[in-house]
Amino acid sequence: MVPHLITALTGPINEFEQRILDAMPAIERWFRLEWMEHTPPFYTSVDIRNAGFKLAPVDSNLFPGGWNHLSTEMLPLAVQAAMAAIEKICPEARNLLIIPENLTRNTFYLANVAQLVRIFNMAGLNVRVGSINPAIKKPTRVALPNGDAITLEPVVRSRRRLGLKDFDPCTILLNNDLSAGVPGILEEIYEQYLLPPLHAGWSVRRKSTHFKNYEAVAKRFGKMLGIDPWLINPLYDQCTGAQLGAGPGMEPLQTCVDALLTKMRRKYKEYGIDEKPFVIVKADDSKASVGILTVRDAKDLDALKRRARKALIGGDGQPGNDLIIQEGVLTQERVHDAVAEPVVYMVDRYVVGGFYRMHAERGTDESLNTPGAGFVPLAFEHSVHMTQPGVRPGASAPNRFYMYGVVARLAMLAASYELEATNPDAEVY
């Protein structure tokens, strides 16, 4: 299915797309040299927003779900990338154990796990799914919405290894973002490859750390390409110690919001952008139950105190006081008249596909990752890797997807910096 895109693109984005296409050899060499020095995350998905005047990642997931939304045409790319990733880590790999989230009743999520099983099975591995959910005490077959089925088996832990009854994997793939903390059953595994590593989970990760690294990557890339890095970088600030209740506890948050909105207004004025800037406030550690708050004026926070506390409440029932304030990026993408945003998927350092997340009931300045969202695979009439030089910006789907892939890889590179800096086993010189 080829998405029918209705995209209002003018000015800087068209110019940026042309620069990307013209500089493709230099860009690919730049990435190639980076990957000689840094290890990419095992797999990554990146949410991208295209405002028409800027293009930026707004979230990077190191335990991506949603693999079932990739089109059938793109599966060969995922399989080839999976082969390359596994061969690099464990060339003699034979058995792979996937450990998913403890969402046994969410069959749409389990369809994503089933797709991962299919990808790595086609990559030449024996693949089974092991659950660390205490409720799974025996092999449990779950029917999926598309007519498939998946079998969840209880994980068995020996002193130093993790596996299933009569199944000893050399590699363990986590599809669990560890936002509730690292279960003891996953700790101190030294004889098997655990991918991604435990410090990639939200029990350790901070969004502010990721976007600090992304800012550094964007500046270097912008200098290489000769563009303002703001065109690909969402401004952000970290706010610690805010008390989301009554009284002066909101002042640190108001100060941070006001400062970031001021920076955005300067940029909007510089580029002649006739839009009202807004920021997104969310928990820095991405607690599982935490929502987001959209703010257009720091003064509005006084009226939003109760709503702010409710939106930013954590899974433990406590408000998240360590917050990130992020530049809100509009989306001008449309799929079948619904507001949409691209999500790009990668395995190792390779772009393997993606989809458009769309929501008919959300606005251009709202999060689309909410109940009611739909998904349209990125399945173009031509190969997604074959750009079309000479075609005017915005007229070619492969060209547009290549641009998205560049920005997504920049976010993935930032994640690799992030994981290196937070690796508890890294040697200190």
Side-chain angles (χ1 to χ4, degrees):
M1 176 181 181
V2 180
H4 177 55
L5 300 181
I6 308 171
T7 311
L9 294 175
T10 57
I13 282 295
N14 275 342
E15 180 184 349
F16 174 57
E17 183 173 346
Q18 191 61 60
R19 288 204 183 200
I20 288 285
L21 295 174
D22 292 343
M24 183 165 46
I27 290 170
E28 294 307 319
R29 179 179 182 273
W30 188 85
F31 275 120
R32 190 164 60 249
L33 294 176
E34 287 291 330
W35 297 131
M36 290 175 66
E37 299 291 332
H38 305 282
T39 302
F42 185 78
Y43 58 1
T44 314
S45 69
V46 178
D47 295 0
I48 296 175
R49 302 277 284 200
N50 182 352
F53 53 84
K54 78 179 293 178
L55 180 74
V58 294
D59 199 15
S60 300
N61 191 346
L62 302 184
F63 300 85
W67 290 93
N68 52 310
H69 298 308
L70 270 64
S71 68
T72 303
E73 294 86 348
M74 288 184 171
L75 281 184
L77 295 177
V79 172
Q80 291 175 0
M83 286 179 178
I86 290 293
E87 287 172 5
K88 185 168 67 176
I89 295 165
C90 182
E92 69 278 11
R94 178 181 300 172
N95 296 334
L96 175 72
L97 178 66
I98 298 178
I99 297 182
E101 301 276 0
N102 293 344
L103 303 174
T104 56
R105 296 184 180 181
N106 188 336
T107 55
F108 292 100
Y109 166 74
L110 292 178
N112 145 77
V113 178
Q115 184 77 307
L116 282 172
V117 171
R118 187 176 297 111
I119 289 170
F120 285 97
N121 185 255
M122 288 191 290
L125 295 170
N126 301 314
V127 187
R128 286 163 71 174
V129 181
S131 176
I132 57 175
N133 186 341
I136 301 296
K137 301 183 183 301
K138 62 181 181 179
T140 304
R141 183 178 172 85
V142 180
L144 301 178
N146 60 3
D148 290 342
I150 189 171
T151 299
L152 306 176
E153 302 180 66
V155 165
V156 177
R157 174 68 193 259
S158 64
R159 183 181 176 186
R160 301 178 66 87
R161 297 182 71 86
L162 203 64
L164 306 175
K165 183 180 179 181
D166 302 324
F167 186 76
D168 183 29
C170 61
T171 306
I172 299 164
L173 179 63
L174 294 179
N175 198 243
N176 182 321
D177 67 10
L178 307 177
S179 57
V182 178
I185 196 172
L186 297 179
E187 294 180 328
E188 299 182 4
I189 296 175
Y190 303 114
E191 297 180 354
Q192 296 161 297
Y193 294 95
L194 188 63
L195 306 169
L198 295 179
H199 67 279
W202 282 117
S203 55
V204 175
R205 283 191 78 198
R206 294 294 179 269
K207 290 181 180 291
S208 57
T209 303
H210 176 73
F211 282 102
K212 178 181 179 181
N213 283 284
Y214 182 81
E215 182 178 42
V217 169
K219 285 180 178 177
R220 291 179 50 234
F221 184 80
K223 184 177 181 181
M224 185 269 290
L225 207 61
I227 64 167
D228 182 352
W230 178 74
L231 294 174
I232 56 172
N233 179 40
L235 301 176
Y236 81 97
D237 196 2
Q238 186 182 19
C239 181
T240 59
Q243 301 295 320
L244 300 180
M250 292 284 282
E251 290 180 4
L253 178 58
Q254 289 174 315
T255 300
C256 290
V257 167
D258 188 55
L260 191 60
L261 284 171
T262 298
K263 290 180 182 178
M264 292 177 63
R265 291 186 190 105
R266 291 197 196 105
K267 278 295 182 183
Y268 278 33
K269 183 177 181 180
E270 176 184 345
Y271 283 95
I273 297 166
D274 188 21
E275 298 282 356
K276 186 175 178 62
F278 66 98
V279 298
I280 300 296
V281 183
K282 49 191 173 184
D284 201 11
D285 60 357
S286 190
K287 293 178 181 178
S289 300
V290 170
I292 64 173
L293 191 68
T294 300
V295 182
R296 293 171 179 79
D297 193 311
K299 296 178 182 178
D300 295 342
L301 285 169
D302 284 330
L304 292 174
K305 282 179 182 177
R306 183 176 298 178
R307 182 182 164 199
R309 186 176 178 86
K310 182 178 180 181
L312 300 170
I313 205 76
D316 54 4
Q318 299 298 318
N321 293 326
D322 288 339
L323 306 171
I324 180 172
I325 299 93
Q326 188 175 11
E327 174 184 355
V329 182
L330 296 167
T331 177
Q332 296 294 350
E333 299 281 25
R334 299 286 190 280
V335 176
H336 306 307
D337 295 328
V339 174
E341 63 187 9
V343 184
V344 178
Y345 277 62
M346 293 159 286
V347 176
D348 195 62
R349 61 192 178 98
Y350 304 103
V351 175
V352 300
F355 55 81
Y356 278 98
R357 180 187 290 119
M358 61 182 187
H359 205 305
E361 298 178 2
R362 306 291 282 183
T364 60
D365 60 350
E366 295 181 288
S367 171
L368 307 186
N369 193 12
T370 59
F375 307 92
V376 176
L378 284 167
F380 298 123
E381 295 172 312
H382 307 285
S383 168
V384 295
H385 279 185
M386 297 298 291
T387 56
Q388 297 177 327
V391 176
R392 66 180 176 82
S396 165
N399 286 358
R400 176 56 40 78
F401 187 70
Y402 178 75
M403 183 174 69
Y404 291 159
V406 168
V407 173
R409 284 185 288 168
L410 292 174
M412 179 171 60
L413 180 59
S416 73
Y417 289 5
E418 176 190 354
L419 293 182
E420 290 169 6
T422 58
N423 184 358
D425 299 323
E427 296 184 8
V428 179
Y429 296 95

